[in-house]
Amino acid sequence: MFDNLILYLGLFPCLAYGLAAGCGLVLGSFLTFLFYRIKAREPWLWGKEAARSRCPSCHTTLKARDLIPILSWVMARGQCRYCGQKISTRYPLIEITSAVVFMIILYLFR
Ligand SMILES: [Zn+2]
């Protein structure tokens, strides 16, 4: 199966770049989570507080639909879906930057 995946990615470069961008978005989303938790001196790996992402303003635990990189931010118009607090553009920018970096790395090492 893994060999077939490598074959398809070689045959369809758009698929490879899409996969790289998707991995970059997920990593970027995780990095924003990590930066926030470290800056706020909150646990990020273990413990009850580290279990789920939540709004820093209203502390509502975010649902899966709120955690989709870029798309959730766009769909909520840059605001918390629960309290309306503005969400910084820094979050989607980090996700987009991470996706672009992943695609550049793929381009350089293909
Ligand atoms: Zn909120």
Side-chain angles (χ1 to χ4, degrees):
M1 182 183 155
F2 193 69
D3 291 339
N4 288 340
L5 178 65
I6 298 294
L7 178 68
Y8 284 124
L9 292 179
L11 290 174
F12 304 105
C14 289
L15 190 64
Y17 282 104
L19 188 63
C23 290
L25 288 172
V26 170
L27 181 70
S29 182
F30 178 72
L31 287 175
T32 58
F33 159 82
L34 199 60
F35 292 154
Y36 176 81
R37 292 284 174 106
I38 290 172
K39 185 179 172 188
R41 297 182 181 271
E42 293 180 7
W44 54 275
L45 191 56
W46 289 287
K48 187 179 177 185
E49 291 293 318
R52 297 287 307 267
S53 293
R54 62 188 181 285
C55 171
S57 179
C58 65
H59 303 285
T60 302
T61 299
L62 300 178
K63 296 178 178 157
R65 70 178 182 173
D66 304 320
L67 300 173
I68 302 167
I70 299 175
L71 191 62
S72 295
W73 187 86
V74 171
M75 295 297 284
R77 298 184 182 136
Q79 298 177 334
C80 172
R81 193 182 305 269
Y82 308 99
C83 69
Q85 180 70 31
K86 189 175 186 296
I87 299 171
S88 172
T89 54
R90 179 180 57 214
Y91 296 103
L93 287 178
I94 290 173
E95 293 167 355
I96 290 170
T97 302
S98 179
V100 170
V101 167
F102 267 59
M103 289 192 292
I104 289 172
I105 290 171
L106 177 64
Y107 178 77
L108 293 176
F109 292 99
R110 267 186 51 173

